[in-house]
Amino acid sequence: MIMFDPNDLRRNAAWQAAQQWRTRANQPHRGPLSGLKLILTWLLFGMLLIVGTVLGLFFLLLGWAMLPIVRYRMKKRLEQLRAEQAKDAGGGYHYRETHRETHTQETYSGAHYRGSEPELLEGDYEVRDEKHKS
């Protein structure tokens, strides 16, 4: 019975690959253009690194420059959505700092009612005085 010896370097695939690389590296260069090919390859690789770095910096700066514009647009859009929600929920009134004063005055004057039912937001309440109880 033949046992496999893990220390046998002739059957180890990694050792065989390393030996092949070693023999190729020690061989003389094939022709006069091999050195030129090596230099051109390194120059091309270096140029690609430089171009990639410049493009990355350009897009980074472009993103930073666009941040205030995008923030402004998002802020305006959010304000518009809030105004639409306040208009839908508040019976046509935009929500502002004076909204409570206006809402309170209209509720007591009766202008805010549709027919006999009051229009209220969920969670809101109102204090009715004596003439509304009867």
Side-chain angles (χ1 to χ4, degrees), residues 57-75:
L57 286 173
F58 172 74
F59 284 119
L60 177 72
L61 292 174
L62 183 67
W64 282 350
M66 290 178 65
L67 275 176
I69 298 168
V70 172
R71 184 176 178 268
Y72 176 76
R73 284 186 177 180
M74 293 294 286
K75 188 177 177 182

mmCIF file of all heavy atoms in Angstrom, residues 57-75:
data_model
loop_
_atom_site.group_PDB
_atom_site.id
_atom_site.type_symbol
_atom_site.label_atom_id
_atom_site.label_comp_id
_atom_site.label_asym_id
_atom_site.label_seq_id
_atom_site.Cartn_x
_atom_site.Cartn_y
_atom_site.Cartn_z
ATOM 1 N N LEU A 57 -10.581 62.178 -8.068
ATOM 2 C CA LEU A 57 -10.575 63.493 -7.419
ATOM 3 C C LEU A 57 -11.577 64.444 -8.070
ATOM 4 O O LEU A 57 -12.244 65.221 -7.381
ATOM 5 C CB LEU A 57 -9.171 64.099 -7.467
ATOM 6 C CG LEU A 57 -8.152 63.474 -6.516
ATOM 7 C CD1 LEU A 57 -6.761 64.054 -6.777
ATOM 8 C CD2 LEU A 57 -8.555 63.719 -5.077
ATOM 9 N N PHE A 58 -11.680 64.370 -9.391
ATOM 10 C CA PHE A 58 -12.628 65.223 -10.101
ATOM 11 C C PHE A 58 -14.064 64.927 -9.654
ATOM 12 O O PHE A 58 -14.837 65.839 -9.350
ATOM 13 C CB PHE A 58 -12.495 65.024 -11.615
ATOM 14 C CG PHE A 58 -13.561 65.713 -12.402
ATOM 15 C CD1 PHE A 58 -13.559 67.089 -12.561
ATOM 16 C CD2 PHE A 58 -14.594 64.974 -12.988
ATOM 17 C CE1 PHE A 58 -14.556 67.727 -13.284
ATOM 18 C CE2 PHE A 58 -15.584 65.599 -13.705
ATOM 19 C CZ PHE A 58 -15.568 66.977 -13.863
ATOM 20 N N PHE A 59 -14.429 63.641 -9.599
ATOM 21 C CA PHE A 59 -15.791 63.290 -9.201
ATOM 22 C C PHE A 59 -16.038 63.588 -7.727
ATOM 23 O O PHE A 59 -17.154 63.940 -7.331
ATOM 24 C CB PHE A 59 -16.095 61.832 -9.529
ATOM 25 C CG PHE A 59 -16.343 61.596 -10.992
ATOM 26 C CD1 PHE A 59 -15.527 60.751 -11.717
ATOM 27 C CD2 PHE A 59 -17.381 62.234 -11.645
ATOM 28 C CE1 PHE A 59 -15.759 60.538 -13.064
ATOM 29 C CE2 PHE A 59 -17.616 62.038 -12.989
ATOM 30 C CZ PHE A 59 -16.795 61.180 -13.709
ATOM 31 N N LEU A 60 -15.018 63.472 -6.911
ATOM 32 C CA LEU A 60 -15.158 63.838 -5.501
ATOM 33 C C LEU A 60 -15.448 65.330 -5.359
ATOM 34 O O LEU A 60 -16.376 65.735 -4.649
ATOM 35 C CB LEU A 60 -13.888 63.479 -4.741
ATOM 36 C CG LEU A 60 -13.853 63.871 -3.265
ATOM 37 C CD1 LEU A 60 -14.785 62.971 -2.469
ATOM 38 C CD2 LEU A 60 -12.449 63.781 -2.729
ATOM 39 N N LEU A 61 -14.688 66.163 -6.056
ATOM 40 C CA LEU A 61 -14.919 67.605 -5.999
ATOM 41 C C LEU A 61 -16.271 67.983 -6.607
ATOM 42 O O LEU A 61 -16.958 68.878 -6.113
ATOM 43 C CB LEU A 61 -13.783 68.346 -6.698
ATOM 44 C CG LEU A 61 -12.423 68.269 -6.007
ATOM 45 C CD1 LEU A 61 -11.342 68.931 -6.870
ATOM 46 C CD2 LEU A 61 -12.480 68.923 -4.649
ATOM 47 N N LEU A 62 -16.649 67.291 -7.679
ATOM 48 C CA LEU A 62 -17.947 67.553 -8.298
ATOM 49 C C LEU A 62 -19.085 67.215 -7.323
ATOM 50 O O LEU A 62 -20.058 67.967 -7.205
ATOM 51 C CB LEU A 62 -18.094 66.728 -9.578
ATOM 52 C CG LEU A 62 -19.363 66.947 -10.385
ATOM 53 C CD1 LEU A 62 -19.383 68.347 -10.981
ATOM 54 C CD2 LEU A 62 -19.469 65.895 -11.473
ATOM 55 N N GLY A 63 -18.951 66.111 -6.610
ATOM 56 C CA GLY A 63 -19.958 65.745 -5.618
ATOM 57 C C GLY A 63 -20.041 66.756 -4.499
ATOM 58 O O GLY A 63 -21.134 67.122 -4.056
ATOM 59 N N TRP A 64 -18.899 67.204 -4.022
ATOM 60 C CA TRP A 64 -18.892 68.228 -2.969
ATOM 61 C C TRP A 64 -19.522 69.525 -3.460
ATOM 62 O O TRP A 64 -20.223 70.205 -2.723
ATOM 63 C CB TRP A 64 -17.477 68.495 -2.494
ATOM 64 C CG TRP A 64 -16.936 67.458 -1.561
ATOM 65 C CD1 TRP A 64 -17.614 66.447 -0.959
ATOM 66 C CD2 TRP A 64 -15.589 67.350 -1.118
ATOM 67 N NE1 TRP A 64 -16.774 65.711 -0.185
ATOM 68 C CE2 TRP A 64 -15.524 66.244 -0.255
ATOM 69 C CE3 TRP A 64 -14.429 68.071 -1.368
ATOM 70 C CZ2 TRP A 64 -14.347 65.849 0.349
ATOM 71 C CZ3 TRP A 64 -13.258 67.672 -0.765
ATOM 72 C CH2 TRP A 64 -13.229 66.577 0.097
ATOM 73 N N ALA A 65 -19.266 69.886 -4.713
ATOM 74 C CA ALA A 65 -19.831 71.122 -5.256
ATOM 75 C C ALA A 65 -21.346 71.012 -5.422
ATOM 76 O O ALA A 65 -22.058 72.009 -5.299
ATOM 77 C CB ALA A 65 -19.174 71.449 -6.599
ATOM 78 N N MET A 66 -21.846 69.824 -5.689
ATOM 79 C CA MET A 66 -23.277 69.652 -5.908
ATOM 80 C C MET A 66 -24.065 69.490 -4.608
ATOM 81 O O MET A 66 -25.299 69.587 -4.620
ATOM 82 C CB MET A 66 -23.531 68.451 -6.808
ATOM 83 C CG MET A 66 -23.103 68.680 -8.248
ATOM 84 S SD MET A 66 -23.369 67.241 -9.262
ATOM 85 C CE MET A 66 -25.136 67.120 -9.235
ATOM 86 N N LEU A 67 -23.404 69.254 -3.498
ATOM 87 C CA LEU A 67 -24.113 69.054 -2.232
ATOM 88 C C LEU A 67 -25.024 70.223 -1.847
ATOM 89 O O LEU A 67 -26.181 69.996 -1.484
ATOM 90 C CB LEU A 67 -23.120 68.765 -1.107
ATOM 91 C CG LEU A 67 -22.690 67.319 -0.957
ATOM 92 C CD1 LEU A 67 -21.634 67.192 0.128
ATOM 93 C CD2 LEU A 67 -23.855 66.422 -0.654
ATOM 94 N N PRO A 68 -24.567 71.471 -1.906
ATOM 95 C CA PRO A 68 -25.493 72.566 -1.549
ATOM 96 C C PRO A 68 -26.697 72.667 -2.479
ATOM 97 O O PRO A 68 -27.812 72.958 -2.025
ATOM 98 C CB PRO A 68 -24.626 73.826 -1.660
ATOM 99 C CG PRO A 68 -23.222 73.359 -1.580
ATOM 100 C CD PRO A 68 -23.213 71.980 -2.136
ATOM 101 N N ILE A 69 -26.489 72.388 -3.763
ATOM 102 C CA ILE A 69 -27.602 72.450 -4.716
ATOM 103 C C ILE A 69 -28.632 71.373 -4.404
ATOM 104 O O ILE A 69 -29.836 71.627 -4.353
ATOM 105 C CB ILE A 69 -27.072 72.307 -6.159
ATOM 106 C CG1 ILE A 69 -26.130 73.464 -6.486
ATOM 107 C CG2 ILE A 69 -28.207 72.229 -7.162
ATOM 108 C CD1 ILE A 69 -25.335 73.271 -7.747
ATOM 109 N N VAL A 70 -28.153 70.164 -4.175
ATOM 110 C CA VAL A 70 -29.060 69.062 -3.868
ATOM 111 C C VAL A 70 -29.766 69.314 -2.535
ATOM 112 O O VAL A 70 -30.963 69.056 -2.396
ATOM 113 C CB VAL A 70 -28.282 67.727 -3.858
ATOM 114 C CG1 VAL A 70 -29.147 66.587 -3.344
ATOM 115 C CG2 VAL A 70 -27.768 67.415 -5.242
ATOM 116 N N ARG A 71 -29.041 69.840 -1.567
ATOM 117 C CA ARG A 71 -29.644 70.132 -0.261
ATOM 118 C C ARG A 71 -30.742 71.182 -0.400
ATOM 119 O O ARG A 71 -31.812 71.058 0.191
ATOM 120 C CB ARG A 71 -28.565 70.619 0.699
ATOM 121 C CG ARG A 71 -29.062 70.854 2.095
ATOM 122 C CD ARG A 71 -27.907 71.240 3.017
ATOM 123 N NE ARG A 71 -28.383 71.512 4.346
ATOM 124 C CZ ARG A 71 -28.724 72.713 4.781
ATOM 125 N NH1 ARG A 71 -28.626 73.757 4.000
ATOM 126 N NH2 ARG A 71 -29.157 72.887 6.012
ATOM 127 N N TYR A 72 -30.497 72.217 -1.200
ATOM 128 C CA TYR A 72 -31.488 73.262 -1.426
ATOM 129 C C TYR A 72 -32.745 72.685 -2.074
ATOM 130 O O TYR A 72 -33.873 72.980 -1.658
ATOM 131 C CB TYR A 72 -30.881 74.363 -2.300
ATOM 132 C CG TYR A 72 -31.849 75.448 -2.671
ATOM 133 C CD1 TYR A 72 -32.215 76.424 -1.757
ATOM 134 C CD2 TYR A 72 -32.402 75.496 -3.945
ATOM 135 C CE1 TYR A 72 -33.113 77.422 -2.101
ATOM 136 C CE2 TYR A 72 -33.299 76.483 -4.294
ATOM 137 C CZ TYR A 72 -33.651 77.439 -3.375
ATOM 138 O OH TYR A 72 -34.539 78.419 -3.720
ATOM 139 N N ARG A 73 -32.549 71.840 -3.094
ATOM 140 C CA ARG A 73 -33.705 71.237 -3.774
ATOM 141 C C ARG A 73 -34.504 70.329 -2.849
ATOM 142 O O ARG A 73 -35.734 70.327 -2.870
ATOM 143 C CB ARG A 73 -33.248 70.443 -4.996
ATOM 144 C CG ARG A 73 -32.882 71.299 -6.166
ATOM 145 C CD ARG A 73 -32.595 70.447 -7.362
ATOM 146 N NE ARG A 73 -32.316 71.256 -8.528
ATOM 147 C CZ ARG A 73 -32.040 70.763 -9.710
ATOM 148 N NH1 ARG A 73 -31.980 69.462 -9.877
ATOM 149 N NH2 ARG A 73 -31.795 71.554 -10.721
ATOM 150 N N MET A 74 -33.786 69.542 -2.056
ATOM 151 C CA MET A 74 -34.479 68.649 -1.126
ATOM 152 C C MET A 74 -35.242 69.438 -0.065
ATOM 153 O O MET A 74 -36.346 69.061 0.323
ATOM 154 C CB MET A 74 -33.474 67.698 -0.462
ATOM 155 C CG MET A 74 -32.837 66.709 -1.399
ATOM 156 S SD MET A 74 -33.998 65.530 -2.073
ATOM 157 C CE MET A 74 -34.248 64.499 -0.657
ATOM 158 N N LYS A 75 -34.662 70.546 0.377
ATOM 159 C CA LYS A 75 -35.326 71.386 1.373
ATOM 160 C C LYS A 75 -36.606 71.986 0.791
ATOM 161 O O LYS A 75 -37.655 71.985 1.437
ATOM 162 C CB LYS A 75 -34.359 72.481 1.815
ATOM 163 C CG LYS A 75 -34.834 73.312 2.967
ATOM 164 C CD LYS A 75 -33.777 74.310 3.370
ATOM 165 C CE LYS A 75 -34.238 75.209 4.472
ATOM 166 N NZ LYS A 75 -33.245 76.209 4.837
#
